[in-house]
Amino acid sequence: MKKERSKENRLDLNSVQKRALFKLALDIVKADKQIHLNEVSVLNDLQDSCEITDEDMTLVHYISFQQAISTLKLLDQSTRNDVIELLSSIVGADNDVDSRESRMIAAIKLSLTDDSSQWTHIVSAVGVESEVSSRQIIYLEKNIIDRDNNGLVIFDDIFDNLLITKALNEVGLQLFYLPNVVEELSSHWDSLNDNNNKLNLLRRSMEYIVPAGDKSKISNLSNILRNMNSETFYKVITSSYKIYPEILPFNSFLMVKIHDGYLLDDDSRINRCVDFLCIDMSSDQKSHILQFVNLIAKPTCLLSYEGYYKILYDYLSSESHIISSLIIDQKYNFILKDLNSYKLKFESAPQAKALYILLLKYGVSGVSQQSFDRALEYIYNSQPESNWSVSDYLFELIKLDTDWSKLIYNLIIIYDNISTKKMEKEGFLNYISTIIKYRSTLKNYINNGFSEVSHLANKEIYNIHFNNETKSYFISIDKNLVHIIEDDHSQPISLEKSALWANLL
């Protein structure tokens, strides 16, 4: 049978586009620093469906995240939507969406969607040696003179700043806005003699912890900070990360790391490559930030649906199945306690129930067909004509001490208890012989009764079985699941501890 073509095979991509797609898929899988078996399986399927050769696989490691996005941007929007859907499915392959995976897929969605691609940009910085925080998002400006006065940076407004900061915090990101940082430090400039202020803490850290380099900066720290602005810090950051200004299309923007990996250069040398998402802040700042935030999975009130949680929830649902205790009440009704005390219904109930309790006595060892046949033969040959002595008959069975004589004895005791017919009455043995003779039919009646209970799990353990090898009838249920109520006011006890059980051989 021909395998149905997968969605990724219908994308109709050329070899360059396939490599770009696989590059993004690989980075998503590696984002959380652990590889799940399901993710490997998805990558295998993707490689097969895209017909990516071993040579293509090697070339994938020469492509940056930025180049992959640029390549896929050339596709039509419908195809890009299919790419986004495919990559989103990879994020959820391990049933655990890591914050780094969530941030990466958000960046891909924004970059490959017509509207948002106009105000987002991916930058891949190669050869980065400086530390890059995964938990911070930074505001940068190329030129503060070019700032649009009609779109003043929202972070300068205390209420807008709180709103945006809170939204970013909810997805695990701390905003680094230089004017706020400088203002926080400058609040201590008038108390420089206070050793507990943050400026002095910064100064001491430069002296003792951070390599200071130019010592004159330490003594002139206050003036340097006063003259520091977003434009200056933009140059510091781009220099540290080896980002060329011409590849950044926005004058003012937020920048956040979305991936930290490695890239092969033309000489097949491994270089660290850090990928950033840049979000335009020259206009519609709130809208751009909130669209980004809304694409990132937030830590919310979630219910685990795996392992023991899944078993619990399935049990609570209407589709739940359960192994239930079997309660035999004082009227010898068979009740499934854990299924809302469901009362089982059997055809030829007294005889069927008598056979069932008899086989419970013998358990998995069962009763052989030969024993049943010998018992039936004995009953036919020993039928008393009238006024038979029950005690003598039972005593004779005990004295015979055979499997088949014990079977008759036990069946008489059981049927006397569960039916309205009493052993002293004439013709009682006819009922016993009927149970033995029609045991196969009664077996089916019992099994049909259990089969009608839709939510009963592992029904086979409740059923009467026939072993073709040993030619015997048996029940495999754990006797700990079977209990009996001996009178109207008593609690269920184990069948094995009951008076009925004690009277059996």
Side-chain angles (χ1 to χ4, degrees):
M1 182 177 176
K2 187 176 179 181
K3 186 177 180 181
E4 184 181 350
R5 298 184 69 199
S6 58
K7 184 159 190 170
E8 51 267 31
N9 206 28
R10 297 198 300 269
L11 290 176
D12 193 22
L13 306 178
N14 62 36
S15 58
V16 175
Q17 293 162 345
K18 289 176 182 178
R19 289 198 291 268
L21 171 62
F22 204 78
K23 160 67 179 178
L24 299 183
L26 277 176
D27 284 353
I28 287 172
V29 167
K30 295 184 293 184
D32 60 359
K33 306 300 181 185
Q34 55 186 355
I35 307 298
H36 191 277
L37 179 62
N38 291 352
E39 294 173 326
V40 174
S41 177
V42 169
L43 289 177
N44 287 337
D45 291 343
L46 179 59
Q47 184 180 356
D48 291 342
S49 62
C50 285
E51 299 178 348
I52 297 178
T53 64
D54 291 339
E55 182 181 0
D56 287 329
M57 278 294 297
T58 301
L59 293 175
V60 164
H61 299 291
Y62 290 83
I63 305 172
S64 70
F65 200 97
Q66 180 180 352
Q67 290 168 331
I69 290 291
S70 297
T71 297
L72 297 175
K73 268 187 173 182
L74 300 177
L75 299 169
D76 62 83
Q77 185 62 70
S78 176
T79 306
R80 277 181 274 153
N81 289 340
D82 290 339
V83 167
I84 291 170
E85 183 180 346
L86 171 63
L87 295 175
S88 298
S89 70
I90 295 174
V91 171
D94 59 357
N95 300 315
D96 180 23
V97 181
D98 182 85
S99 60
R100 290 163 291 193
E101 294 174 319
S102 180
R103 202 172 300 164
M104 186 179 294
I105 198 65
I108 292 171
K109 289 177 179 179
L110 291 172
S111 301
L112 296 183
T113 303
D114 277 341
D115 176 52
S116 54
S117 66
Q118 305 302 312
W119 47 266
T120 55
H121 185 70
I122 300 293
V123 173
S124 294
V126 181
V128 176
E129 297 176 357
S130 302
E131 179 182 352
V132 186
S133 173
S134 298
R135 299 182 178 278
Q136 294 179 354
I137 183 168
I138 187 171
Y139 172 79
L140 297 170
E141 281 181 292
K142 283 185 181 180
N143 190 333
I144 59 175
I145 298 176
D146 291 340
R147 181 187 293 177
D148 183 359
N149 291 327
N150 294 323
L152 190 63
V153 177
I154 57 173
F155 310 118
D156 290 337
D157 181 275
I158 185 171
F159 297 108
D160 284 340
N161 191 309
L162 285 172
L163 173 67
I164 296 304
T165 300
K166 181 177 182 296
L168 292 168
N169 286 344
E170 287 177 351
V171 294
L173 289 173
Q174 177 188 11
L175 173 65
F176 186 98
Y177 181 54
L178 184 70
N180 283 357
V181 175
V182 172
E183 182 181 358
E184 185 178 3
L185 291 170
S186 67
S187 64
H188 299 289
W189 282 343
D190 295 332
S191 56
L192 292 182
N193 293 326
D194 182 0
N195 287 328
N196 292 322
N197 73 62
K198 291 188 178 181
L199 192 62
N200 275 333
L201 180 60
L202 176 61
R203 182 181 288 109
R204 292 199 304 275
S205 69
M206 292 175 66
E207 290 175 337
Y208 301 128
I209 302 173
V210 182
D214 186 357
K215 298 287 186 179
S216 62
K217 283 189 174 181
I218 298 176
S219 58
N220 199 31
L221 197 56
S222 299
N223 289 330
I224 293 174
L225 280 172
R226 283 191 179 96
N227 295 321
M228 176 73 76
N229 57 33
S230 297
E231 182 180 338
T232 305
F233 202 58
Y234 161 83
K235 295 171 183 175
V236 172
I237 293 298
T238 52
S239 298
S240 296
Y241 295 162
K242 301 180 181 179
I243 298 174
Y244 298 106
E246 59 267 25
I247 68 173
L248 294 166
F250 312 126
N251 179 60
S252 58
F253 57 96
L254 288 172
M255 188 170 77
V256 61
K257 183 175 81 171
I258 57 172
H259 186 242
D260 196 335
Y262 295 92
L263 198 66
L264 294 178
D265 62 19
D266 293 339
D267 297 318
S268 298
R269 291 176 300 195
I270 297 177
N271 296 274
R272 184 188 180 196
C273 182
V274 181
D275 305 303
F276 297 92
L277 170 67
C278 299
I279 303 173
D280 185 15
M281 287 288 104
S282 61
S283 62
D284 297 325
Q285 297 100 333
K286 285 185 187 178
S287 173
H288 295 172
I289 293 171
L290 293 177
Q291 283 190 59
F292 167 64
V293 165
N294 289 335
L295 286 175
I296 300 177
K298 301 176 179 64
T300 56
C301 180
L302 299 176
L303 288 176
S304 175
Y305 191 64
E306 62 177 350
Y308 300 116
Y309 292 98
K310 184 179 186 302
I311 294 172
L312 172 62
Y313 301 151
D314 286 350
Y315 167 68
L316 295 175
S317 77
S318 60
E319 298 302 318
S320 62
H321 289 69
I322 189 172
I323 296 175
S324 175
S325 294
L326 177 62
I327 305 294
I328 301 173
D329 69 13
Q330 66 275 17
K331 294 182 179 179
Y332 286 88
N333 293 308
F334 281 28
I335 296 169
L336 294 173
K337 175 186 175 183
D338 302 292
L339 286 171
N340 295 321
S341 296
Y342 179 88
K343 185 185 295 185
L344 289 155
K345 302 175 183 65
F346 305 118
E347 291 188 57
S348 298
Q351 293 92 337
K353 291 175 183 178
L355 176 65
Y356 195 83
I357 294 174
L358 175 76
L359 292 176
L360 282 175
K361 172 65 179 176
Y362 293 92
V364 292
S365 59
V367 178
S368 70
Q369 190 159 272
Q370 184 181 19
S371 292
F372 275 121
D373 291 340
R374 288 286 288 115
L376 188 61
E377 181 183 357
Y378 180 82
I379 293 173
Y380 284 158
N381 293 331
S382 63
Q383 283 275 16
E385 294 182 0
S386 61
N387 300 320
W388 74 309
S389 171
V390 177
S391 58
D392 289 346
Y393 193 83
L394 293 176
F395 179 76
E396 182 65 25
L397 292 171
I398 295 172
K399 191 169 70 169
L400 288 169
D401 193 27
T402 63
D403 291 341
W404 53 265
S405 63
K406 292 178 182 177
L407 185 155
I408 298 171
Y409 179 95
N410 289 337
L411 201 48
I412 288 174
I413 299 298
I414 293 169
Y415 196 70
D416 179 67
N417 275 270
I418 74 171
S419 73
T420 57
K421 309 295 188 290
K422 294 304 172 185
M423 67 175 77
E424 296 85 1
K425 297 295 183 181
E426 184 179 349
F428 183 82
L429 285 178
N430 290 332
Y431 296 107
I432 304 301
S433 61
T434 300
I435 294 171
I436 296 174
K437 183 178 180 179
Y438 294 106
R439 59 188 178 273
S440 181
T441 301
L442 296 175
K443 163 183 169 290
N444 293 333
Y445 289 161
I446 287 286
N447 294 349
N448 288 339
F450 282 109
S451 69
E452 292 175 358
V453 187
S454 59
H455 293 159
L456 180 64
N458 297 358
K459 296 177 185 178
E460 64 278 1
I461 69 171
Y462 298 87
N463 289 347
I464 298 176
H465 301 275
F466 182 75
N467 187 323
N468 281 315
E469 293 183 5
T470 61
K471 303 299 181 184
S472 60
Y473 295 83
F474 70 95
I475 298 173
S476 60
I477 190 171
D478 184 344
K479 291 188 181 66
N480 290 324
L481 285 175
V482 185
H483 299 79
I484 190 168
I485 300 174
E486 295 190 310
D487 59 61
D488 290 341
H489 304 291
S490 68
Q491 293 297 314
I493 61 171
S494 170
L495 182 61
E496 293 182 297
K497 295 181 179 179
S498 67
L500 172 63
W501 211 257
N503 289 328
L504 302 180
L505 297 179

